[in-house]
Amino acid sequence: MMLERPRRNRKSFGIRQMVQETKLHVDNLIYPLFVEDGNKIKEEIPSLPGNFRWSSDLVLDEIGACMDLGLKSFVLFPKVANHLKNREGTYGYKKSNFYLEIARKIKHKFPDCVLISDVALDPYSSDGHDGIVENGRIDNDRTLSLLQKMAIRQAEAGFDILGPSDMMDGRVGAMREALDESGFCETAIMSYSAKYASALYGPFRDALDSAPVDDANIPKDKKSYQMDPSNKIEALREADLDVVEGADFLMVKPALHYLDIIHLLKENYNLPIAAYHVSGECAMLIAASQKGWLNYELVMPETLLSIRRAGASAILTYFAKDYARLHR
Ligand code: PBG
């Protein structure tokens, strides 16, 4: 006789739904959108099929279409023209910059959406780094004052949550202080706490043309600020600092190769955990699906579910709109 038969709880769709331990809802998803200056631009990113660079007129339509599907959280990344880039990324805090203009338009038209920013120098930096490069090194502390200026401008423009993706030491505290002093105590910070120096960011850097430039005086990678993929305890150290400095969310990035880190932070902190399912992770699955080697409609939700199961409350993913469309 066999008393224990786990299959009884998998017998039918209804029972399987009833005993499901993890639910993934479109409310958990944040959709990254690339924006650029201009009109009527919808340019596909070759290494990330199905994703586009949008001008402000068309991104408003795209956000409207997503809201109709029940998807209401967005993170915006700017593609900045080369002639606007400089070593200190000053366009990032120029009041009239197109990124801030787009944010104002979005929040005006869709006050209920959740709009998340990117706080980092790289889209604006002629060196392609997240910090100021000085004599071949990243100047952490001078970078902080630029991040503070960007943060205030973004809060003024109406972003609900600011996302420092730069990995400079002390940025969360510096931003929190600057925001509070300027009266933006309600603007939240989603800190990229454990952001690894990963090879999975390629399509994103293609989309923004933001890779470190090839020059002997410029660090060729981001390993002096992004984390070593070997390290786990260091993720706790970074998260400890973000908590003390006033972060509202702790993010792990990338997601799938770092599910253990997501789980670790979930177990150790009371803040909601976000995970960034990055461009390279999506590109792999899209490419295999296009070849007919994987079934996109099955592998896509399984992937997102696994990130949720590991402990993420919020998942930044290029699959967000497809998930919303297929799982309404
Ligand atoms: C940089 C930034 C990167 C991503 C988001 N912000 C790339 C990098 O560190 O070079 C990558 C996201 C993705 O690959 O989808 N501030």
Side-chain angles (χ1 to χ4, degrees), residues 211-231:
V213 298
D214 189 11
D215 182 310
N217 297 315
I218 308 293
K220 63 180 189 329
D221 57 41
K222 300 190 175 184
K223 290 181 183 170
S224 79
Y225 44 105
Q226 298 180 350
M227 281 178 55
D228 184 334
S230 316
N231 294 353

Side-chain angles (χ1 to χ4, degrees), residues 77 118 120 122 130 165 192 195 200-201 204-205 222 226 253 276 278-279 318:
F77 294 99
D118 179 45
D122 59 322
D130 295 34
S165 65
Y192 290 55
K195 174 170 178 177
L200 292 161
Y201 306 146
F204 177 96
R205 293 180 190 170
K222 300 190 175 184
Q226 298 180 350
K253 174 183 174 180
Y276 200 142
V278 302
S279 57
Y318 303 93

Side-chain angles (χ1 to χ4, degrees), residues 55-160:
S55 53
S56 56
D57 48 344
L58 297 187
V59 84
L60 285 172
D61 298 344
E62 176 66 0
I63 287 181
C66 291
M67 300 278 283
D68 290 343
L69 295 170
L71 173 61
K72 54 182 176 302
S73 301
F74 306 91
V75 55
L76 302 184
F77 294 99
K79 156 94 163 105
V80 177
N82 274 334
H83 72 273
L84 295 172
K85 297 185 182 183
N86 59 27
R87 293 186 49 230
E88 304 207 340
T90 53
Y91 187 70
Y93 57 87
K94 191 168 175 210
K95 205 164 190 164
S96 60
N97 86 27
F98 77 88
Y99 182 68
L100 301 171
E101 295 270 311
I102 288 179
R104 279 188 281 269
K105 284 185 188 155
I106 293 171
K107 282 305 284 189
H108 181 72
K109 186 154 184 200
F110 304 105
D112 296 333
C113 77
V114 179
L115 200 59
I116 305 167
S117 75
D118 179 45
V119 187
L121 249 57
D122 59 322
Y124 315 98
S125 153
S126 49
D127 296 333
H129 273 287
D130 295 34
I132 300 172
V133 181
E134 204 62 79
N135 302 321
R137 305 187 66 80
I138 304 295
D139 188 332
N140 189 96
D141 297 10
R142 267 182 66 219
T143 302
L144 294 184
S145 61
L146 299 182
L147 298 176
Q148 287 177 313
K149 289 183 192 163
M150 283 176 72
I152 292 169
R153 288 283 176 258
Q154 293 178 354
E156 280 168 358
F159 280 102
D160 301 285

Side-chain angles (χ1 to χ4, degrees), residues 194 196 198 200-201 252-258 262 276-278 281:
Y196 286 88
S198 170
L200 292 161
Y201 306 146
V252 175
K253 174 183 174 180
L256 274 192
H257 297 57
Y258 298 85
I262 296 173
Y276 200 142
H277 179 235
V278 302
E281 301 180 69

